[in-house]
Amino acid sequence: MGRPKITIIGSGQIGGVLAYHATSRKLGDIVLYDVVEGRPQGKAIDISAAAREDEFDLRIIGTNDYADIKGSNVVVITAGLPRRPGMSRDDLIGVNSKIMRDVSDGIKKYAPDAHIICVSNPLDAMVTLCQRYTGFPHHRVMGMAGVLDSARFATFIAWELGISVRDVNSTVLGGHGDSMVPIVRFANVNGIPVTELLEGKYKGDKEKAKRVMAALVARTKGAGGEVVKLLKDGSAFFSPASSIITMMEAILQDQKRLMTACAYLTGQFGVLGYYVGVPCVIGADGVEQIVEFELTPEEKEMFDASVASVKELVDCLP
Ligand code: TXD
């Protein structure tokens, strides 16, 4: 019985960390691809040399040839430029759209049965292009953003409450941009609403609790930019890699986990024909189900505004 084959297109910051993470979780053999000669090969040798100490028996190769991705079960796309300070994700659209064309052609030719997890920014637009260029069924082409945005929200809640992040549940929907929608009423610590925990912390001062929650929401929306500003020469890469692992594992192990993924909507949440971040069940068939629920009027207004900014970007794609 063969091991799953995982291809990572783009062997930069996220690609490298993701490959290492996937091996230490023993998820499958890895192919690292990049246009830059030597980068994927160097990282593949480096990660392979960790195998004895980290106790994994997997094959990791680096390549500049799409033929090597043949037969991949999952392909993750991290190819493209990251943001620099002062840039929005949308500023990357021109250059990353061209890259998406090459990458999609390579995948279509050599890994026609793969599931694709797209990561490159601007996320919602890049997933849309990838699906158009490959022509793969929508349930096999998804984007990673919501898992990360939700994890960031959970992290800031945990810090504020002084509680383990592992007990924090949080959901962020919408596009992967400044208009993303953290759903405050779903944020809880093992079932206890965060709003109530904040009121407890601030001794019943509801206004103060509201202000703190608003600050957590604002920090979540700006978390990617906060890291870019600090790093100065790139964007977040450890947490994106971990979030990709969660999605990859759900597919490869048919976990049917519910998480926010950038998925193609056919009327759900009132959206027709666009990729947007929504709650999905992820398993061996990719996006197996899109889980709908009633948004409050306030949430709906924010979600619609987020969808509108996705549409604006997608409608001017090449
Ligand atoms: O939540 C999310 N979806 C994201 C997305 C969170 C953080 C960063 N996000 C985006 O991922 C970011 O804005 C970028 O568009 C991608 C990749 O970020 P990373 O930090 O890994 O960028 P790097 O280190 O610059 O790596 C990109 C690699 C680099 O090695 C290039 O040589 C390669 O992509 N590249 C290509 N590979 C294959 N094919 C082509 N055409 C190509 N062009 C560049």
Side-chain angles (χ1 to χ4, degrees):
M1 208 194 307
R3 286 189 288 260
K5 181 167 176 177
I6 298 162
T7 284
I8 300 168
I9 312 276
S11 308
Q13 296 281 60
I14 297 179
V17 173
L18 175 63
Y20 177 62
H21 211 343
T23 52
S24 53
R25 295 286 274 255
K26 302 178 174 59
L27 289 185
D29 291 334
I30 313 276
V31 178
L32 271 166
Y33 174 94
D34 207 286
V35 278
V36 175
E37 279 181 33
R39 182 174 292 166
Q41 292 84 350
K43 290 196 178 183
I45 293 171
D46 192 17
I47 294 170
S48 300
R52 190 185 69 176
E53 313 316 313
D54 289 349
E55 300 175 353
F56 57 81
D57 297 289
L58 302 167
R59 188 158 178 263
I60 305 111
I61 64 155
T63 183
N64 309 110
D65 182 355
Y66 273 108
D68 290 323
I69 79 166
K70 197 161 180 257
S72 298
N73 302 95
V74 175
V75 177
V76 181
I77 305 176
T78 72
L81 293 195
R83 283 196 277 171
R84 297 277 185 264
M87 284 174 94
S88 84
R89 294 177 177 92
D90 298 356
D91 292 335
L92 301 168
I93 195 158
V95 59
N96 285 355
S97 295
K98 290 197 192 87
I99 291 175
M100 197 52 71
R101 171 98 249 181
D102 290 350
V103 171
S104 302
D105 289 348
I107 299 171
K108 188 177 176 181
K109 183 161 180 201
Y110 291 103
D113 299 321
H115 288 279
I116 300 178
I117 302 174
C118 188
V119 181
S120 314
N121 271 324
L123 194 268
D124 311 275
M126 291 305 107
V127 186
T128 305
L129 275 186
C130 179
Q131 191 282 327
R132 280 188 199 159
Y133 291 155
T134 56
F136 285 11
H138 292 104
H139 66 95
R140 277 205 280 126
V141 183
M142 67 191 88
M144 187 293 290
V147 177
L148 174 61
D149 296 328
S150 306
R152 285 170 167 161
F153 192 24
T155 302
F156 301 141
I157 290 169
W159 287 350
E160 167 63 29
L161 294 172
I163 277 172
S164 167
V165 72
R166 291 191 294 147
D167 294 323
V168 181
N169 296 301
S170 55
T171 303
V172 178
L173 306 179
H176 183 55
D178 300 340
S179 59
M180 67 179 76
V181 190
I183 305 290
V184 169
R185 83 188 148 106
F186 287 172
N188 71 74
V189 181
N190 277 344
I192 307 171
V194 172
T195 42
E196 285 184 34
L197 292 170
L198 287 173
E199 281 173 30
K201 178 173 173 183
Y202 294 105
K203 315 236 173 329
D205 184 342
K206 288 192 177 199
E207 283 314 306
K208 168 84 180 165
K210 259 193 193 161
R211 282 199 303 279
V212 171
M213 185 48 111
L216 295 173
V217 165
R219 191 168 183 192
T220 301
K221 292 181 174 188
E226 187 179 348
V227 175
V228 170
K229 204 167 163 199
L230 289 164
L231 291 181
K232 297 181 189 71
D233 62 351
S235 50
F237 52 98
F238 290 112
S239 54
S242 296
S243 301
I244 299 162
I245 292 279
T246 299
M247 298 184 81
M248 220 154 69
E249 238 172 29
I251 296 170
L252 291 169
Q253 297 171 9
D254 194 19
Q255 290 173 336
K256 308 205 187 293
R257 289 194 63 193
L258 189 141
M259 62 187 81
T260 306
C262 181
Y264 187 74
L265 300 184
T266 53
Q268 299 90 340
F269 294 98
V271 181
L272 186 63
Y274 287 89
Y275 269 98
V276 180
V278 289
C280 297
V281 175
I282 308 285
D285 277 335
V287 176
E288 296 189 349
Q289 200 188 325
I290 290 168
V291 178
E292 269 195 288
F293 65 92
E294 190 93 19
L295 293 163
T296 65
E298 199 191 11
E299 289 162 356
K300 174 118 181 65
E301 196 180 313
M302 291 188 288
F303 183 79
D304 288 348
S306 185
V307 171
S309 61
V310 171
K311 283 183 178 171
E312 199 181 317
L313 201 62
V314 166
D315 290 345
C316 63
L317 281 174

